[in-house]
Each structure stands twice: as C-alpha cells, then as structure tokens.
C-alpha cells in the first residue's frame, strides 16, 4: 500500500519502516545521551507533519515519529536513506543545524529497534 506522503513526494518508504509505522505506537531511542520516547505517526499524520514543516524539510526529509516539537525522520540523500533527529527549534536558524544523523542507513535503524 502506498502512503499519501509517498504519492505527494513521488518517493518510496521502505517496507521495513512501514512495518514499524503500522505496528508501533511509540519507540524509545537514545538521542544525545538521553532516552526519548518518540510517538510514531500514522501515515496521515506523516503527511500533516511534513506539510507543517514543508519549507524546512523540502523533498528529502520525511517525518515518521515525534518527541515534543522534534521529529525522527527518513533522510533521502544520494540513493541512501538515513535516520535523522530533526530539531524544529534549530531549523528556524539553519537546516544544517537541525539535522542529527542517528543511523547512517535505515537497515542499521531496523536492527536496533526490532
């Protein structure tokens, strides 16, 4: 099944990530040395979150979970998909400052959350 955000951005979300989205309501991940409880977005909420941050995300970043005002995102770059932490507060200042790579590939992410 293709999500609305995939149609809008003309991209593909890996099946392994879709399984996480469809089966998990939350995920605990360590970010900057602290455990954070991320709430997993539904497919419709993913598109809503993307639309709210569209000017900052552009086409390369797709949010799939959130913690407070920040997001866990898929980051599409050079035929690779990494997992990043997106700081909304820092994004206002600079997109580069807003992104923190947590996993260099979604495969590494899947291994650590499964």
């Amino acid at each position: 099944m293709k999500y609305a955000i995939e149609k809008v951005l003309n991209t593909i979300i890996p099946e392994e990530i879709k399984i996480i989205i469809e089966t998990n309501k939350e995920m605990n991940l360590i970010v900057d040395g602290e455990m954070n409880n991320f709430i997993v977005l539904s497919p419709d909420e993913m598109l809503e979150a993307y639309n709210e941050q569209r000017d900052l995300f552009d086409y390369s970043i797709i949010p799939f979970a959130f913690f407070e005002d920040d997001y866990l995102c898929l980051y599409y770059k050079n035929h690779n998909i990494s997992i990043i932490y997106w700081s909304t507060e820092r994004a206002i200042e600079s997109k580069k400052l807003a992104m923190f790579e947590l996993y260099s590939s979604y495969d590494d992410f899947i291994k650590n959350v499964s």
Side-chain angles (χ1 to χ4, degrees), residues 81 83 102-114:
I81 304 170
I83 304 298
L102 299 177
Y103 297 93
S104 60
S105 74
Y106 74 89
D107 287 330
D108 290 341
F109 172 71
I110 298 299
K111 290 175 193 172
N112 285 290
V113 296
S114 297

Side-chain angles (χ1 to χ4, degrees), residues 22-62:
E22 293 167 8
T23 59
N24 294 6
K25 297 295 180 210
E26 54 187 54
M27 292 184 293
N28 292 315
L29 290 175
I30 296 175
V31 176
D32 201 21
E34 291 186 31
M35 183 64 74
N36 294 295
N37 185 312
F38 287 87
I39 306 300
V40 178
L41 299 168
S42 72
D44 290 337
E45 291 170 329
M46 290 171 65
L47 184 57
E48 287 175 34
Y50 174 83
N51 284 332
E52 288 174 9
Q53 302 281 331
R54 179 189 320 230
D55 294 339
L56 300 171
F57 283 159
D58 68 45
Y59 293 108
S60 62
I61 298 172
I62 298 178

Side-chain angles (χ1 to χ4, degrees), residues 60-75:
S60 62
I61 298 172
I62 298 178
F64 67 93
F66 74 96
F67 171 73
E68 296 178 354
D69 289 332
D70 300 330
Y71 294 95
L72 194 59
C73 304
L74 298 167
Y75 179 46

